[in-house]
Amino acid sequence: MAAENVAVRGRAGPCIQSMNEARVLNVPASPHPTSTAGHVVPAADARSWLLVPASRPEAFDAAAESRADVVILDIEDAVDPKHKAAARADVIAWLKAGNSAWVRINDTLSDFWADDVDELAGVSGLLGVVLAKTEQAEQVVNTYQRLGARIPVVPLIESALGLEEATNIARADGAFRLAFGSGDFRRDTGMWATREAMAYARSRLTVSSKAAGLPGPVDGPTTDESLRVLRNESEWTLEHGMTGKLCLRLEQTAVVNEVICPQTSDILWAREFLADFDASGGVVRDGSDLPRLGRARKILRLAEAFGITVEV
């Protein structure tokens, strides 16, 4: 393969179309960019979605102060049924105390969903809900409407039926982003946790999200404690067009944020390409200009969304 046809990939996906392009634009090898401390990332672009058991209210503050783009207080799988009412009350008390977070609520077929939505409705600080075990669009609509038709809903796809209905779910009123409940999905389907076995489900969620006009979906969590494994699996997330990942521990958020992020070389390439394009009068020169123009603008938009600064 000629050097001019070799794709150059950063951790944010393809950022330079060819080695020749890299030479022309003088993109150097650079360290990771830095993010502005305390920067709030919009949920539509959020990379790390940290799940915090609602049965551990002492952990809420640390999660809120962590590097997670989104904090989810979990009153579903993370809480024993006999403790759900108390956990829900702790979540509501913490939110009413001037804090903010998302909440993972129980599925619509459970005995707890109605109490979840009725008690959370109107609570200050509730940024959105993650709806467990979503399998039908109407479950999203009912949740959204019962919360006052103003709280975004992230449907968690955790079964074969949910995956088959993913496009309809993504198009439902109130749907904000799709998320992949990979553990329950494997349990439902009998599939392995390998990259190859999960490729179809991940790709399907990305296509459904795109078809419905939603941001990229949020991938399932990495259960292995190895940060190297987490990094590899986060790269799989990107490989399949997903733009966020559920996290189970505080230390996972920094790795996910680093991987699902434009790298310094991406940002410098985008700046130089746009400068070169503008200097040429903003005229499309060949069939590769429009795709590269879109990619460059997206890279810089994400850099701004993530509060990234790059010193030249």
Side-chain angles (χ1 to χ4, degrees), residues 96-239:
K96 286 184 174 180
N99 302 295
S100 59
W102 286 61
V103 177
R104 176 159 79 161
I105 62 175
N106 292 276
D107 68 274
T108 61
L109 300 180
S110 72
D111 295 332
F112 308 102
W113 174 81
D115 287 340
D116 286 349
V117 292
D118 288 346
E119 294 185 31
L120 284 167
V123 172
S124 60
L126 178 65
L127 301 178
V129 297
V130 176
L131 179 61
K133 299 177 176 63
T134 306
E135 295 185 328
Q136 300 290 339
E138 64 181 336
Q139 295 171 330
V140 178
V141 175
N142 291 342
T143 299
Y144 180 63
Q145 291 179 344
R146 198 142 167 178
L147 286 168
R150 63 181 186 85
I151 299 297
V153 179
V154 169
L156 193 58
I157 307 302
E158 305 185 71
S159 66
L161 178 57
L163 188 64
E164 285 296 289
E165 291 292 323
T167 302
N168 291 330
I169 290 170
R171 288 174 173 159
D173 193 22
F176 182 70
R177 288 176 76 171
L178 298 181
F180 187 27
S182 50
D184 280 335
F185 179 81
R186 291 195 301 271
R187 183 161 51 249
D188 182 55
T189 61
M191 291 183 176
W192 290 11
T194 61
R195 180 181 189 174
E196 294 79 10
M198 291 291 100
Y200 171 73
R202 288 189 170 108
S203 299
R204 179 75 177 271
L205 292 178
T206 296
V207 171
S208 293
S209 297
K210 183 64 176 178
L214 298 186
V218 180
D219 200 1
T222 293
T223 56
D224 196 298
E225 293 187 1
S226 167
L227 295 182
R228 176 174 293 183
V229 171
L230 172 64
R231 180 175 295 277
N232 289 339
E233 294 192 0
S234 297
E235 290 177 349
W236 299 355
T237 296
L238 274 178
E239 180 181 312

Side-chain angles (χ1 to χ4, degrees), residues 6-17 238-239 263 265-266:
V6 177
V8 179
R9 293 177 180 267
R11 290 194 179 88
C15 58
I16 299 175
Q17 291 296 294
L238 274 178
E239 180 181 312
Q263 302 302 291
S265 58
D266 301 345

Side-chain angles (χ1 to χ4, degrees), residues 3-8 16-23 292:
E4 285 72 20
N5 295 323
V6 177
V8 179
I16 299 175
Q17 291 296 294
S18 68
M19 292 299 292
N20 184 57
E21 178 180 321
R23 288 195 294 270
R292 290 189 295 172

